[in-house]
Amino acid sequence: MCILFVYVDDGSMAGPYRLILASNRDEFYARPAKTAAPWEENERIIGGRDMEPGREGGTWLAIGNHPIGRIKLGALLNVTGENKANVTNGRGPIVVNFLTGELPSRKYSEALLAKDNFGAFNFVSIELDTTKEPNKQVDGSEDVSSRAGGTVLHTSNAPHSIERCTAGDALGFGNSTLQKPLQKVCRGREQFAEVVRRRNVPFTDKDALVDELMQLLKSDVRHFPDPELTRRAGQHAEFLSSINVRIPNGSYGSRTRTVILVDHENHMEFIEETLIGTDPFAGEWNRTRMERVFS
């Protein structure tokens, strides 16, 4: 299971960030993967890579600037408890193909569903324009709302749907449908919204913002009972009901925490913490921090 929280500015706030993202990747600890880095085939794209034999090169979350003039971000979440017929492709290329291709998000999602042979997925795509200049005001200041906003789409094949999400709202996504979100997604979205409200303000303390988002991703509070999660995950539901999944003596849980910030000058910071080893209670976490100005 995975969880994703996103805020995309719609121009109604004077905060410094047009994109704020916090995400946990839940996976088997022993599954091989590369930590986030610029991709060899396209250095304009940053993200982790799956290295499971037969699945090499796929990704669960990445951000890039291809083609020039657009910031594109893709995130992939499985839909738990859904059996799909005619599954012949792994889901890892879904984000890769979006970021490396030329299609805008809606056309890409339409093509994706037209040739659906994947296991059940939720695909969140974000596009931001980098080329539009802010309007100058009479006092010489810049109206950042003229360059704010973006497209946030939620695409799923369980069932087939493409939903445009509202910019300016704190959004949360998990391993169920948009219509029946898990309790940890609902409660986490409320906490994420509060962090954005307090911290996405002029002259904010960036490190404090990152720390609060990381603390949200580390939350062990179990949001249980949750009938929808129980229906999908059965006897494991309670252990999966926290934002940070840590199953005692288990081989699966939250192994990557990611925070991404993009300001109104299209300066991006990508902060990621990755579990080293297979023990989430005693293991060390490696932090990666990268910066990039998108054009």
Side-chain angles (χ1 to χ4, degrees):
M1 304 192 86
C2 300
I3 198 164
L4 172 70
F5 302 108
V6 172
Y7 168 82
V8 174
D9 181 32
D10 66 349
S12 64
M13 295 177 63
Y17 296 108
R18 61 188 310 209
L19 170 68
I20 300 173
L21 176 146
S23 176
N24 272 350
R25 181 200 183 203
D26 299 344
E27 186 52 88
F28 289 102
Y29 300 126
R31 183 164 180 160
K34 290 183 179 180
T35 57
W39 290 0
E40 293 180 1
E41 69 268 37
N42 190 329
E43 292 193 348
R44 302 181 73 85
I45 301 172
I46 294 174
R49 307 301 291 266
D50 187 9
M51 296 306 294
E52 178 79 2
R55 298 285 189 266
E56 297 94 340
T59 191
W60 55 97
L61 173 66
I63 186 170
N65 186 203
H66 175 83
I68 293 175
R70 265 189 285 165
I71 298 172
K72 298 199 299 188
L73 183 145
L76 184 70
L77 306 96
N78 296 345
V79 183
T80 302
E82 296 286 344
N83 293 318
K84 294 282 291 179
N86 302 317
V87 175
T88 58
N89 277 348
R91 288 166 287 207
I94 291 175
V95 172
V96 176
N97 292 340
F98 172 60
L99 290 182
T100 58
E102 305 293 329
L103 289 178
S105 56
R106 181 166 289 276
K107 287 188 177 297
Y108 178 79
S109 291
E110 291 171 351
L112 186 66
L113 294 183
K115 298 180 179 180
D116 176 23
N117 54 4
F118 303 97
F121 68 79
N122 288 326
F123 169 54
V124 178
S125 58
I126 299 173
E127 286 188 294
L128 304 174
D129 182 15
T130 67
T131 59
K132 187 176 180 180
E133 292 299 325
N135 292 329
K136 290 290 186 179
Q137 304 298 289
V138 292
D139 61 359
S141 64
E142 293 183 340
D143 174 18
V144 296
S145 67
S146 64
R147 196 174 60 187
T151 301
V152 184
L153 292 185
H154 175 278
T155 303
S156 182
N157 67 344
H160 279 207
S161 63
I162 302 174
E163 302 284 344
R164 180 160 183 163
C165 303
T166 305
D169 289 347
L171 305 172
F173 307 95
N175 303 102
S176 64
T177 64
L178 281 181
Q179 292 71 31
K180 294 184 178 180
L182 304 180
Q183 287 300 307
K184 67 177 183 179
V185 174
C186 296
R187 302 290 83 77
R189 181 174 57 215
E190 293 170 356
Q191 297 172 60
F192 176 73
E194 175 60 18
V195 173
V196 172
R197 185 191 67 80
R198 289 187 294 102
R199 291 295 183 184
N200 192 30
V201 295
F203 311 109
T204 190
D205 184 333
K206 178 175 58 181
D207 290 336
L209 169 60
V210 173
D211 287 345
E212 287 198 39
L213 294 173
M214 285 293 183
Q215 287 304 313
L216 170 62
L217 297 175
K218 295 176 185 178
S219 175
D220 292 320
V221 175
R222 293 181 181 176
H223 302 281
F224 199 79
D226 182 342
E228 181 66 12
L229 181 56
T230 299
R231 184 180 74 82
R232 291 182 175 277
Q235 62 181 341
H236 303 292
E238 184 172 358
F239 291 112
L240 298 171
S241 67
S242 54
I243 292 173
N244 181 40
V245 175
R246 295 195 297 176
I247 302 174
N249 302 315
S251 59
Y252 175 95
S254 301
R255 55 176 282 185
T256 305
R257 301 188 284 256
T258 306
V259 170
I260 298 176
L261 306 174
V262 179
D263 68 15
H264 287 279
E265 301 304 317
N266 300 316
H267 175 266
M268 184 273 298
E269 292 198 52
F270 192 120
I271 306 100
E272 189 165 278
E273 295 181 349
T274 303
L275 177 66
I276 306 300
T278 60
D279 186 348
F281 294 92
E284 296 183 359
W285 290 77
N286 180 58
R287 174 173 277 212
T288 301
R289 190 163 192 156
M290 293 167 285
E291 298 186 38
R292 179 73 57 84
V293 177
F294 290 130
S295 58

